[in-house]
Amino acid sequence: TRARMLMLLGGFLVNAKLYEESEVVYTKLAQEQDSPIILNNLAYVIGVYRDRPEEGLEIAKRAASKAPRVPQIIDTVAKLHERSGNPQKAAETLEFLLQVSPADASAMSKLALLYADTLNQPQRGVVFAERARSQNPRSPEVLDALGWSYYQTGKLAKGEEFLQKSLKRGETEIAYIHMAQLVMEQGDFDEALGYLRLAEEFSQDPYSLNRIKALQDDIRNKQAAIGR
């Protein structure tokens, strides 16, 4: 069918990182089909890949109103709350996701990072990360959340050990960012910049690239301040 062809085309364009074109395709689809999954795809493209999170969030909420218990849609709403600058609302949304899907280790990992970082409750982050580990002990995402949560509670060696395990299981942008932050705190600025270069290779969207660039600027400023 035409709708299926457009869905395949939209997915192909996203994989090819042709995000502007994929937005056009998903917008057309959303106008033709009253589908929450299509709305969710459009919300993700606009909010994440096109870096317009507030606009994407409104579309994701429309998708959620049509299908309130679909984990994929709830996850998009949470991500766009976070990127719109509302980490508390993002955490509440992920908590709801865990009511719908209690064994979702990815949701637990995302919740752990929110608590460990922006919500400044790292001990609570450890609780969710350990729950995630009980579900999926080999997941790079889970091991990263565990490492960063422990690191933020002050258990530095334990945190670094889990971050290194995460990267052995699978390279991810977020684990490289966390390793960069960790070695930066230890004063190893060149190694930190090396980790951030690796993070850039895995980055998929402008928000993530901007986060990496801000950290690179921070490191270079610190280098300049101490003459290294």
Side-chain angles (χ1 to χ4, degrees), residues 29-225:
L29 257 173
Q31 290 165 349
E32 295 178 7
Q33 300 277 326
D34 187 28
S35 161
I37 296 299
I38 289 169
L39 281 174
N40 186 62
N41 289 348
L42 177 61
Y44 201 94
V45 167
I46 288 175
V48 176
Y49 297 130
R50 301 282 284 144
D51 201 24
R52 302 190 325 257
E54 291 87 357
E55 185 182 341
L57 179 58
E58 291 310 308
I59 298 168
K61 285 179 178 176
R62 278 169 52 205
S65 71
K66 294 174 183 292
R69 297 181 70 81
V70 174
Q72 176 187 351
I73 294 173
I74 302 167
D75 184 69
T76 299
V77 172
K79 189 180 194 86
L80 294 177
H81 271 307
E82 182 186 3
R83 293 200 172 190
S84 298
N86 195 339
Q88 185 60 51
K89 196 72 180 168
E92 290 166 12
T93 306
L94 287 169
E95 298 255 21
F96 173 66
L97 174 48
L98 287 174
Q99 291 175 29
V100 172
S101 182
D104 191 328
S106 179
M108 292 171 199
S109 299
K110 291 168 185 170
L111 201 44
L113 289 181
L114 278 171
Y115 280 121
D117 255 339
T118 34
L119 295 175
N120 202 26
Q121 298 175 55
Q123 200 56 56
R124 196 166 183 189
V126 168
V127 170
F128 280 105
E130 286 289 4
R131 275 178 61 189
R133 181 162 65 147
S134 72
Q135 295 293 332
N136 195 348
R138 294 171 180 269
S139 159
E141 181 185 22
V142 169
L143 291 166
D144 170 72
L146 202 56
W148 192 243
S149 297
Y150 273 119
Y151 181 77
Q152 294 291 73
T153 65
K155 294 183 176 176
L156 310 187
K158 191 169 189 176
E160 183 170 1
E161 179 189 344
F162 280 119
L163 290 175
Q164 294 283 11
K165 281 183 180 176
S166 171
L167 285 168
K168 284 196 180 98
R169 287 284 171 196
E171 295 172 287
T172 61
E173 173 196 356
I174 191 65
Y176 278 128
I177 288 174
H178 287 151
M179 280 302 302
Q181 290 174 289
L182 186 149
V183 298
M184 179 178 74
E185 291 297 324
Q186 296 169 351
D188 196 335
F189 300 127
D190 287 333
E191 189 178 358
L193 289 170
Y195 279 125
L196 291 177
R197 279 192 291 275
L198 290 166
E200 276 182 301
E201 291 180 21
F202 290 88
S203 182
Q204 294 288 320
D205 58 82
Y207 178 96
S208 302
L209 280 170
N210 288 340
R211 179 181 181 183
I212 292 167
K213 187 176 185 312
L215 279 168
Q216 288 169 331
D217 290 346
D218 189 28
I219 291 167
R220 290 186 180 115
N221 289 338
K222 286 181 177 177
Q223 279 181 313

